[in-house]
Amino acid sequence: MDFLPTIMEVLNVERPLEQRSWAFDGRSILPLLRNATTGFKWADTEEGPRSVGYQFYDTTLNKSKGWGYRFGRWKYVEGSMSCLHPDCQKPQLYDLDSDIGERVDLSSKYPDILEDLQLKFQKWHESVMKSRREESKCRKTELMLPQSLISMSETE
């Protein structure tokens, strides 16, 4: 999530050139840490409010484990590990501004918002799967390692 961008900002480093076109899931929380007592609030991004997708345990979408997507005040959830009731397996929508405990499913009242969040989740999930397939394997690791480490590995 936000660990890598935060650490990179603290260290004042950028991603290697070969990785700059890759998806980057997260952003630095350093502004929040620096302004914790001043009521810092995230600004919306070009895509809209802050968002995050999540799934549990593996890369396949499995309703017995669940997945979801948070976009601003809205949260889409489908499936669950902790709730075995059939209602928990269907798509659900919550307004976290008025229902932080996720007790009132608003999916039938706001089907357009539910559909939008399902599409946003699908796009996020596809980007994560693409990253796992194509981007997570650095082919030019010697370009990123200090020369002293490369020399050490060659002598062993």
Side-chain angles (χ1 to χ4, degrees), residues 14-34:
E14 296 203 12
R15 295 164 71 184
L17 273 174
E18 76 166 6
Q19 297 178 6
R20 293 202 183 144
S21 65
W22 296 2
F24 202 57
D25 192 15
R27 64 179 171 187
S28 173
I29 63 167
L30 197 56
L32 176 64
L33 297 173
R34 287 182 175 147

Side-chain angles (χ1 to χ4, degrees), residues 30-42:
L30 197 56
L32 176 64
L33 297 173
R34 287 182 175 147
N35 299 297
T37 60
T38 62
F40 176 83
K41 184 173 179 189
W42 289 113

Side-chain angles (χ1 to χ4, degrees), residues 1-64:
M1 291 179 74
D2 296 319
F3 297 116
L4 181 58
T6 304
I7 292 168
M8 289 176 65
E9 185 176 355
V10 167
L11 296 175
N12 195 30
V13 297
E14 296 203 12
R15 295 164 71 184
L17 273 174
E18 76 166 6
Q19 297 178 6
R20 293 202 183 144
S21 65
W22 296 2
F24 202 57
D25 192 15
R27 64 179 171 187
S28 173
I29 63 167
L30 197 56
L32 176 64
L33 297 173
R34 287 182 175 147
N35 299 297
T37 60
T38 62
F40 176 83
K41 184 173 179 189
W42 289 113
D44 289 348
T45 65
E46 291 177 12
E47 297 81 27
R50 173 93 165 134
S51 62
V52 64
Y54 55 92
Q55 63 190 69
F56 298 101
Y57 292 104
D58 57 37
T59 58
T60 59
L61 297 179
N62 183 335
K63 285 191 181 186
S64 69

Side-chain angles (χ1 to χ4, degrees), residues 8-153:
M8 289 176 65
E9 185 176 355
V10 167
L11 296 175
N12 195 30
V13 297
E14 296 203 12
R15 295 164 71 184
L17 273 174
E18 76 166 6
Q19 297 178 6
R20 293 202 183 144
S21 65
W22 296 2
F24 202 57
D25 192 15
R27 64 179 171 187
S28 173
I29 63 167
L30 197 56
L32 176 64
L33 297 173
R34 287 182 175 147
N35 299 297
T37 60
T38 62
F40 176 83
K41 184 173 179 189
W42 289 113
D44 289 348
T45 65
E46 291 177 12
E47 297 81 27
R50 173 93 165 134
S51 62
V52 64
Y54 55 92
Q55 63 190 69
F56 298 101
Y57 292 104
D58 57 37
T59 58
T60 59
L61 297 179
N62 183 335
K63 285 191 181 186
S64 69
K65 295 182 177 146
W67 64 85
Y69 193 80
R70 171 85 190 262
F71 184 73
R73 66 191 276 181
W74 299 101
K75 183 177 179 185
Y76 152 62
V77 178
E78 192 159 346
S80 174
M81 289 181 63
S82 59
C83 178
L84 302 177
H85 192 276
D87 284 349
C88 296
Q89 303 306 308
K90 68 180 184 70
Q92 301 162 70
L93 178 69
Y94 299 99
D95 178 351
L96 298 182
D97 280 357
S98 62
D99 180 20
I100 195 69
E102 300 176 26
R103 304 214 181 266
V104 181
D105 176 13
L106 299 172
S107 58
S108 60
K109 186 173 181 179
Y110 300 103
D112 53 334
I113 294 173
L114 175 64
E115 182 179 356
D116 183 54
L117 266 61
Q118 287 173 311
L119 291 172
K120 283 177 173 34
F121 171 81
Q122 191 62 40
K123 184 177 176 182
W124 171 82
H125 185 260
E126 288 169 4
S127 77
V128 170
M129 294 300 97
K130 180 179 188 265
S131 177
R132 289 177 61 103
R133 280 189 316 273
E134 300 173 14
E135 300 166 354
S136 297
K137 299 164 185 69
C138 294
R139 290 168 270 311
K140 298 179 183 173
T141 54
E142 67 276 1
L143 296 177
M144 293 179 275
L145 293 174
Q147 188 60 41
S148 59
L149 289 178
I150 295 170
S151 299
M152 287 173 48
S153 66

